[in-house]
Amino acid sequence: MITGKNYIGSQLSGKGSKTYKTFNPQLNIENEHLFSEATPEEINEAVILASDAFKIFSKISGSKKSNFLNAIADEILALDDSLIQVYCSESGLPEGRAKGERGRTVFQLRSFAKLVFEGSWVEASIDTAQPDRTPIPKPDVRKMLVPLGPVVVFGASNFPLAYSTAGGDTAAAFAAGCPVIVKSHPMHAGTGELVASAILKAAEKTGMPNGIFSNLNSSGIEVGVQLVQHPGVKAVGFTGSIKGGRALFDLASNREEPIPVFAEMGSINPVILLPEALKQRTQSLAKTYAGSITLGSGQFCTNPGLLLGIKGETLTEFIQLLSDEIIKIEPSCMLHPNIYGAYEHNKSNAISQSGLSVVADFDSDVRSNYGRQAVTTVDGNAFLTNTTFHQEVFGPYSMVVQCEDKHQLETIISQLEGQLTGTVIAENDDAISHTNVIEALKTRVGRIIFNGVPTGVEVCPSMVHGGPYPASSDSRFTAVGTNSIKRWVRPFGYQDWPDNLLPDELKNENPLGISRLINNTKTHDKI
Ligand code: NAP
């Protein structure tokens, strides 16, 4: 099937003349299926349908949205092995990872279903009138969160399920009451179409409005550009490169009506190895970090690309042990020849910089598209003077910086670009004697981890997956966890509005039984 987009009740074939195929990086061959890029007319139609759907969907009850989200999860599971096979053939990732990611996707959908079923997420707030107040009577003022409108989601290459078609951004936007148009990632268009078909089935079964979801194929930037510029689109979600995210952010800012772009982009996730902890756990830390750097062939936004320690015997020993451990690990397949090519290019570029030494470089022959891990090291002065060392090398690569002392460590941290995570490897006394280092790290990251690894992002309400630019385009929001719903809403206020004309969330009787802030007190009570 050649599909440009999918609408409820009218699955149209893509009409674009530009066709493309996905690629199987394990077999190093193109997959058979031919995809056709969406045309400008189809893009326009998808946005118009989404705008119409918004009029209905934005007012739909939490329990109906919850049914829809749970039905998407059910339909994804019903795709069973066919989804897993296509996922593996388009990503080179193993079956276990495919199943794990499907589990995460389903969990995210069900978490948002629970959130909107309960309903308090709208943050209803009511300040009742005081008509007798002098000198000016106080009006009745109420507010709650309402959806923004049609949202465009750019699927991520490194999470074909959990951060793509029905991934975190889409689930959060649906939960908020926003129709979604997915700009499918060309590397896994087939996975995207299967998941899109599951969303459409779920929408039909649960009576959602036509146009609530479209999946647009493309293998170039044109479809995404047209979508972001379309006046009917009200917000954008993106996961990928800094270059791509920044381009979309600039496009959205230059529109006549600027719209928010929530882009989750590059990060090297600094890990601070404090002296006492490093001394006590040299061997185990080396083994743990060899595993974390190579996990998923290093293709995680939380991959630890930068390890920082203070020069000395223990750090030298750690570097040697890390090198010994990482070389033992068998390389694995990367997502696509382009990602593999970018990895090799960026790794070579880093290695060619003066002042850098290579401590581990897997140089045995490997199959095509397999990412060969490398670890390098530089001293603190070299790192400070060459910003190439600060850039992400997306893949199984990490660099150890040997700082002169804790003051240089603090200086380096404060000069880093914004990061998703920072990790502190420390004994309790280490942490106390390096407060300035830790405080500097807090200003550069969205989440700080104590004695762990940055890879592995829990999906839960308290998760912060975002950070100062360029880790994300807006550090006030998370891209993971139910709190990510906040990206797709705005506060809306009612003043002196008759009770029967208010939405249920703000009515005196509190018919939904949600938690509300009434005259500055949190309560489930009615007024
Ligand atoms: P990407 O190049 O940023 O592309 C992501 C999506 O954005 C694609 O659908 C792409 O469309 C679209 N896009 C990119 N630039 C655009 C522009 N100027 N205007 C409109 N749309 C644009 O990321 P990728 O394809 O996933 O991987 C490329 C590199 O990104 C990787 O090698 C890695 O360095 C980085 N990356 C980082 C992370 C992370 O979490 N830090 C995750 C994934 C990738 P088309 O593909 O159709 O052109």
Side-chain angles (χ1 to χ4, degrees), residues 301-314:
C301 45
T302 50
N303 188 56
L306 185 68
L307 310 179
L308 300 146
I310 295 166
K311 214 176 242 175
E313 257 175 47
T314 318

Side-chain angles (χ1 to χ4, degrees), residues 169-497:
D169 288 351
T170 300
F174 280 152
C178 300
V180 173
I181 300 163
V182 166
K183 191 290 204 187
S184 179
H185 200 290
M187 291 180 196
H188 43 75
T191 308
E193 284 203 347
L194 278 174
V195 175
S197 71
I199 296 177
L200 291 174
K201 266 194 198 156
E204 276 176 321
K205 280 188 180 168
T206 56
M208 294 297 125
N210 184 37
I212 191 176
F213 176 76
S214 288
N215 178 50
L216 302 180
N217 286 327
S218 81
S219 67
I221 66 167
E222 296 80 8
V223 170
V225 167
Q226 198 186 329
L227 279 169
V228 173
Q229 288 180 326
H230 199 294
V233 169
K234 300 301 175 197
V236 177
F238 171 92
T239 306
S241 65
I242 296 175
K243 193 164 156 256
R246 181 60 198 242
L248 296 172
F249 180 87
D250 289 344
L251 266 185
S253 307
N254 288 326
R255 286 168 40 131
E256 196 174 318
E257 179 202 354
I259 53 168
V261 173
F262 298 101
E264 193 251 278
M265 303 174 284
S267 198
I268 52 174
N269 304 295
V271 178
I272 318 298
L273 304 159
L274 293 181
E276 197 48 44
L278 193 61
K279 197 167 163 188
Q280 291 193 19
R281 290 178 260 147
T282 329
Q283 174 70 58
S284 67
L285 282 168
K287 197 172 167 64
T288 302
Y289 269 87
S292 179
I293 294 163
T294 51
L295 189 72
S297 214
Q299 301 166 118
F300 288 119
C301 45
T302 50
N303 188 56
L306 185 68
L307 310 179
L308 300 146
I310 295 166
K311 214 176 242 175
E313 257 175 47
T314 318
L315 187 59
T316 307
E317 190 193 348
F318 169 76
I319 293 169
Q320 187 55 52
L321 290 169
L322 176 63
S323 163
D324 296 345
E325 290 293 339
I326 208 162
I327 284 302
K328 289 184 206 161
I329 295 172
E330 276 305 313
S332 52
C333 191
M334 296 194 79
L335 292 160
H336 192 273
N338 291 352
I339 300 251
Y340 166 76
Y343 171 59
E344 285 296 329
H345 174 268
N346 294 334
K347 183 173 65 170
S348 306
N349 185 39
I351 286 174
S352 70
Q353 305 296 310
S354 82
L356 178 143
S357 311
V358 177
V359 290
D361 191 5
F362 194 98
D363 60 0
S364 308
D365 280 349
V366 288
R367 289 168 57 186
S368 300
N369 307 315
Y370 274 51
R372 285 173 301 181
Q373 60 270 32
V375 174
T376 60
T377 186
V378 292
D379 68 26
N381 292 328
F383 186 84
L384 281 170
T385 51
N386 186 347
T387 52
T388 303
F389 293 137
H390 303 210
Q391 308 308 315
E392 181 181 40
V393 176
F394 190 70
Y397 173 87
S398 194
M399 184 171 63
V400 186
V401 181
Q402 304 187 46
C403 304
E404 289 300 323
D405 51 32
K406 67 178 177 183
H407 303 294
Q408 189 178 54
L409 178 58
E410 186 188 335
T411 306
I412 287 177
I413 291 166
S414 45
Q415 292 192 13
L416 291 175
E417 291 185 322
Q419 307 289 334
L420 291 168
T421 71
T423 303
V424 178
I425 303 293
E427 294 299 307
N428 222 37
D429 287 350
D430 273 331
I432 291 164
S433 57
H434 290 81
T435 330
N436 291 351
V437 168
I438 294 170
E439 288 307 312
L441 186 63
K442 284 186 190 168
T443 69
R444 301 285 71 220
V445 308
R447 178 162 53 100
I448 194 161
I449 298 149
F450 194 68
N451 281 337
V453 289
T455 38
V457 183
E458 190 66 32
V459 179
C460 60
S462 313
M463 178 48 67
V464 176
H465 190 67
Y469 183 86
S472 66
S473 55
D474 193 334
S475 62
R476 294 170 299 170
F477 298 90
T478 176
V480 175
T482 43
N483 229 359
S484 64
I485 197 171
K486 298 267 175 67
R487 295 170 299 165
W488 316 123
V489 292
R490 65 189 174 97
F492 186 84
Y494 291 87
Q495 188 166 323
D496 287 335
W497 211 247

Side-chain angles (χ1 to χ4, degrees), residues 1 116 146 158 163 229 258 321 374 378 433 483 521:
M1 183 179 63
V116 295
V146 299
N158 58 342
Y163 294 98
Q229 288 180 326
L321 290 169
V378 292
S433 57
N483 229 359
T521 303

Side-chain angles (χ1 to χ4, degrees), residues 90-110:
E90 293 185 331
S91 68
L93 295 167
E95 195 178 306
R97 159 73 192 266
K99 289 185 171 161
E101 206 183 314
R102 180 181 60 187
R104 186 185 178 98
T105 309
V106 163
F107 179 75
Q108 289 176 158
L109 287 158
R110 298 211 194 282

